[in-house]
């Protein structure tokens, strides 16, 4: 089996909370708390969960757009958290990001040629006529025309702006692209076009994706494996087929019950979780999901479940995952 392109080990990101006259640290927001996973060349991993669970923070921490509190991140076997500024800048050619908001992520005072061509100049790859030719070629790859180079972001629709963002990420011919909810701000019909574009680009350029999303139907379409996050932790990780057909964590089960299906003959019972998501400042002891879990027992409040392999590379952090499966199959646990 190929070596992982990206390895994330025990990654943590705590944001300090300041208080008092002297602005002392009085607590921490545990945005990302001890997550680990591997990403293989040419693979797409979807990272899903409701808003505030730490998905975007994890993505930015992996790229060192924000510095982690603890843990390790290896890219092609190299610990990128130990790199200096110069080495990290060079490595950024291989790791790019597509941001969620196509309106806020593009500088309104720059033309498309400047936006897409800026990385080429920064990394001394091309300038002048060569840069323009490269930009024109990249724009055609993402479904835009070369004459669009002279326009400004406000002259484009949301879907076209996101294509510009994809072109910017593609400009340096990276190996890894992280999509931070790349289609959530777009209309549904445009979402499908952009997802299909990402798949085509992956096959053409042998890209590896980490796709952040809260829409599980989007993730199902594009991902090879899916990791589910809840309150800063990964609670389930499996292939897309296994996760959607055999969810084994109560939180994943509830998320999938909310995904609409176009077939009216399919009767689905929506699982409504009690209560609200706890604060990441003071998360529950034991299993963080026990305050909302329909399967919770006494030990869930005190013993934190480890992310364990239950077979076939299907990882679950739940003491009673067998009961979740048994309930769905209608068999005794």
């Amino acid at each position: 089996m190929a070596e992982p392109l990206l390895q994330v080990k025990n990654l943590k990101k705590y944001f300090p909370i300041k208080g008092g006259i002297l602005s002392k640290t009085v607590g921490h927001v545990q945005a990302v708390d001890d997550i680990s996973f591997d990403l293989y060349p040419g693979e797409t991993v979807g990272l899903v969960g409701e808003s505030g669970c730490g998905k975007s923070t994890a993505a930015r921490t992996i790229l060192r757009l924000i510095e982690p509190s603890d843990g390790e991140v290896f890219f092609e076997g190299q610990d990128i958290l130990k790199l200096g500024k110069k080495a990290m800048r060079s490595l950024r050619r291989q790791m790019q990001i597509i941001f969620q908001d196509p309106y806020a992520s593009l500088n309104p005072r720059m033309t498309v040629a400047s936006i897409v061509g800026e990385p080429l100049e920064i990394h001394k790859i091309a300038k002048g006529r060569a840069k323009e030719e490269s930009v024109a070629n990249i724009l055609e790859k993402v479904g835009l025309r070369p004459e669009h180079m002279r326009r400004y972001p406000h002259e484009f629709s949301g879907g076209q702006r996101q294509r510009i963002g994809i072109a910017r990420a593609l400009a340096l011919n990276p190996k890894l692209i992280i999509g931070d909810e790349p289609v959530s701000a777009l209309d549904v019909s445009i979402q499908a076009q952009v997802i299909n574009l990402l798949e085509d680009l992956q096959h053409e350029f042998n890209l590896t994706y980490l796709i952040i999303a809260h829409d599980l139907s989007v993730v199902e379409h594009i991902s090879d494996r899916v990791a589910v996050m809840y309150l800063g932790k990964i609670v389930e990780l499996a292939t897309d087929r296994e996760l959607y057909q055999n969810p084994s964590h109560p939180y994943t089960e509830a998320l999938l019950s909310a995904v609409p299906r176009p077939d009216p003959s399919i009767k689905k019972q929506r699982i409504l979780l009690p209560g609200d998501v706890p604060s990441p400042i003071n998360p529950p002891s034991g299993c963080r999901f026990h305050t909302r879990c329909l399967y919770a027992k006494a030990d869930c409040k005190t013993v934190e479940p480890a992310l364990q392999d239950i077979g076939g590379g299907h990882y679950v952090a739940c003491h009673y995952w067998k009961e979740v499966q048994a309930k769905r199959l209608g068999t005794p646990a």
Side-chain angles (χ1 to χ4, degrees), residues 257-273:
S257 76
V259 176
R261 295 296 179 186
D263 188 350
S265 64
I266 299 177
K267 301 296 182 182
K268 293 189 65 177
Q269 183 177 359
R270 175 75 184 274
I271 299 173
L272 298 176
L273 298 175

Side-chain angles (χ1 to χ4, degrees), residues 3-298:
E3 291 294 318
L5 178 70
L6 179 75
Q7 293 176 286
V8 178
K9 298 183 178 180
N10 308 113
L11 187 66
K12 296 182 180 180
K13 179 57 185 177
Y14 293 178
F15 293 98
I17 301 171
K18 304 291 185 179
I21 298 175
L22 301 177
S23 294
K24 292 184 177 181
T25 300
V26 296
H28 289 88
V29 177
Q30 299 178 29
V32 178
D33 191 13
D34 198 14
I35 68 169
S36 301
F37 64 91
D38 294 339
L39 186 58
Y40 292 89
E43 184 184 35
T44 300
V45 169
L47 189 59
V48 303
E50 56 197 321
S51 297
C53 72
K55 306 184 300 296
S56 294
T57 301
R60 284 166 166 77
T61 306
I62 289 168
L63 293 176
R64 282 188 69 183
L65 297 179
I66 54 178
E67 293 295 328
S69 303
D70 197 9
E72 298 174 304
V73 178
F74 293 90
F75 184 82
E76 295 187 318
Q78 186 177 30
D79 189 351
I80 69 172
L81 302 185
K82 294 180 179 179
L83 297 180
K85 287 184 178 180
K86 187 176 181 179
M88 190 64 213
R89 184 174 183 176
S90 177
L91 185 63
R92 290 198 188 282
R93 290 180 57 176
Q94 305 298 330
M95 306 167 66
Q96 293 292 304
I97 185 169
I98 303 168
F99 293 99
Q100 176 179 0
D101 189 347
Y103 294 89
S105 63
L106 303 179
N107 190 331
R109 298 183 179 182
M110 295 174 66
T111 63
V112 172
S114 298
I115 291 171
V116 179
E118 186 177 37
L120 299 174
E121 285 199 1
I122 289 174
H123 291 276
K124 297 182 171 66
I125 295 174
K127 61 181 180 180
R129 183 66 180 172
K131 185 186 77 170
E132 285 199 2
E133 291 177 356
S134 295
V135 171
N137 182 52
I138 294 165
L139 290 179
E140 288 183 329
K141 294 291 185 183
V142 299
L144 297 174
R145 297 192 300 274
E147 54 264 33
H148 287 150
M149 286 195 298
R150 310 299 172 206
R151 298 183 186 178
Y152 289 86
H154 72 270
E155 300 178 70
F156 296 91
S157 67
Q160 288 175 318
R161 292 188 196 201
Q162 195 60 297
R163 289 173 186 266
I164 296 169
I166 294 171
R168 178 176 57 187
L170 202 63
L172 296 174
N173 193 24
K175 294 180 180 178
L176 170 67
I177 292 181
I178 295 182
D180 186 8
E181 308 225 22
V183 298
S184 64
L186 307 178
D187 293 339
V188 174
S189 59
I190 306 300
Q191 286 184 9
Q193 294 177 19
V194 173
I195 288 295
N196 289 335
L197 171 64
L198 290 174
E199 288 189 314
D200 291 342
L201 293 173
Q202 182 176 35
H203 295 144
E204 183 174 354
F205 296 102
N206 194 28
L207 298 170
T208 303
Y209 288 145
L210 176 62
I211 302 295
I212 313 297
H214 62 262
D215 187 340
L216 274 77
S217 58
V218 168
V219 173
E220 181 181 14
H221 181 73
I222 195 174
S223 299
D224 299 305
R225 290 187 297 144
V226 180
V228 181
M229 280 190 74
Y230 181 79
L231 210 60
K233 288 186 174 291
I234 291 178
V235 297
E236 188 162 7
L237 173 64
T239 63
D240 63 331
R241 183 182 182 89
E242 174 69 11
L243 188 95
Y244 282 81
Q245 294 186 356
N246 190 28
S248 300
H249 193 282
Y251 179 59
T252 309
E253 182 185 45
L255 286 179
L256 291 175
S257 76
V259 176
R261 295 296 179 186
D263 188 350
S265 64
I266 299 177
K267 301 296 182 182
K268 293 189 65 177
Q269 183 177 359
R270 175 75 184 274
I271 299 173
L272 298 176
L273 298 175
D276 297 320
V277 180
S279 170
I281 299 172
N282 186 26
S285 60
C287 176
R288 295 191 173 187
F289 189 61
H290 82 259
T291 58
R292 307 174 71 196
C293 183
L294 304 178
Y295 302 85
K297 295 181 173 59

